[in-house]
């Protein structure tokens, strides 16, 4: 299974991967590159990874999710390389017999992926500069919801 | 005291600071990740700019700085992760 891709994420392919007759609920999460006009505009993000470890870590966290929600089917893609604003950097599909497990498993995978995957991003600004993003330390990447 | 060789990998901003993506260091074993950090910060000029307590992985698993390191292990220094 390859979770990492340099091509655009195809949502219909993720859904097809988890589709099964016993599943009555499918939850899809997309993380997309967003502009940050207050920082002079972001045109895209360059993603890089410790690829072998990212794959190993995804194997581990998907195994955890499958143990916790045993009937849930999961598919994940994380994009690497340049991802323009508005395009998806991560796509997750979770299908389960009922919606609660689909929502919970999908949420678990994105939250753990953000904490654990050895993936880094360099923000490309409209003025031609590029900055490594530290989600914990730099206000530029704090969203309107006030998180990292 | 026995000496072991550890493969070290730098990623993203840390690779830029260190000026390389991989190196090998010799450490007295048994060692910890913190020992490897100290060794690397002394041995590679640019690596002195790495934090004293970076995120680290041994053999592709996240570990704490007091985790053991043995001969032949791979130690990766990871800038704050930003996937998703």
């Amino acid at each position: 299974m390859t979770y990492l891709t340099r091509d655009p994420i195809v949502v219909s392919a993720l859904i097809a991967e988890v589709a099964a007759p016993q599943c009555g609920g499918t939850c899809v999460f997309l993380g997309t590159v967003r502009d940050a006009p207050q920082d002079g505009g972001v045109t895209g993000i360059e993603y890089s990874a410790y690829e072998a470890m990212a794959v190993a870590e995804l194997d581990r966290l998907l195994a955890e999710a499958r143990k916790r929600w045993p009937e849930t089917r999961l598919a994940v893609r994380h994009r690497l390389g340049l991802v323009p604003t508005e395009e998806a950097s991560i796509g997750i599909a979770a299908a389960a017999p009922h919606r609660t497990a689909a929502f919970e498993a999908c949420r678990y995978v994105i939250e753990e992926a953000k904490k654990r995957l050895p993936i880094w991003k360099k923000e490309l600004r409209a003025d031609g500069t590029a900055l490594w993003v530290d989600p914990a330390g730099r206000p530029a990447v704090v969203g309107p919801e006030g998180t990292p | 005291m026995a000496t072991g060789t550890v493969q070290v990998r730098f990623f993203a901003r840390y690779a830029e600071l260190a000026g390389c993506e991989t190196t090998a260091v010799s450490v007295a074993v048994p060692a910890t990740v913190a020992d490897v950090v100290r060794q690397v910060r002394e041995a590679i000029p640019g690596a002195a700019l790495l934090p004293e307590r970076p995120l680290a992985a041994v053999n592709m698993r996240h570990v704490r700085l007091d985790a053991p390191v043995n001969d032949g292990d791979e130690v990766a220094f990871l800038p704050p992760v930003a996937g998703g």
Side-chain angles (χ1 to χ4, degrees), chain A residues 35-141:
Chain A
D35 194 5
Q38 72 279 13
D39 293 316
V42 171
T43 58
I45 289 180
E46 179 83 32
Y47 284 87
S48 60
Y50 180 1
E51 296 190 25
M53 182 176 165
V55 169
E57 199 64 33
L58 272 165
D59 273 336
R60 290 192 279 264
L61 75 87
L62 288 176
E64 292 158 14
R66 289 182 180 120
K67 195 171 174 191
R68 201 156 152 190
W69 296 278
E71 294 174 290
T72 304
R73 298 166 57 82
L74 293 158
V76 179
R77 291 290 183 287
H78 199 301
R79 198 165 158 189
L80 300 178
L82 176 63
V83 183
T85 307
E86 289 185 53
E87 291 190 17
S89 53
I90 191 169
I92 299 163
H98 302 285
R99 67 185 179 280
T100 303
F103 274 113
E104 288 177 357
C106 190
R107 181 75 192 256
Y108 180 82
V109 172
I110 182 59
E111 298 300 339
E112 292 300 309
K114 288 188 83 79
K115 277 187 271 188
R116 290 160 56 177
L117 297 188
I119 291 179
W120 300 280
K121 51 190 183 186
K122 199 176 228 182
E123 227 173 51
L124 308 178
R125 298 292 181 81
D127 65 5
T129 58
L131 288 174
W132 289 110
V133 173
D134 174 356
R138 220 165 48 72
V141 296

Side-chain angles (χ1 to χ4, degrees), chain B residues 32-44:
Chain B
T32 64
V33 174
D35 295 329
V36 177
V37 174
R38 271 191 295 276
Q39 182 78 9
V40 164
R41 280 166 52 89
E42 283 170 19
I44 299 174

Side-chain angles (χ1 to χ4, degrees), chain B:
Chain B
M1 185 180 286
T3 302
T5 302
V6 174
Q7 301 299 319
V8 176
R9 299 186 66 171
F10 303 104
F11 291 92
R13 191 170 66 85
Y14 292 174
E16 290 181 358
L17 291 173
C20 60
E21 293 183 344
T22 59
T23 189
V25 294
S26 294
V27 288
V29 288
T32 64
V33 174
D35 295 329
V36 177
V37 174
R38 271 191 295 276
Q39 182 78 9
V40 164
R41 280 166 52 89
E42 283 170 19
I44 299 174
L49 298 168
L50 261 58
E52 285 176 30
R53 302 181 57 79
L55 288 179
V58 171
N59 301 333
M60 300 201 294
R61 283 181 180 271
H62 290 288
V63 292
R64 290 160 35 134
L65 293 178
D66 59 1
V69 173
N70 296 301
D71 184 41
D73 281 349
E74 179 203 89
V75 178
F77 295 124
L78 312 174
V81 298

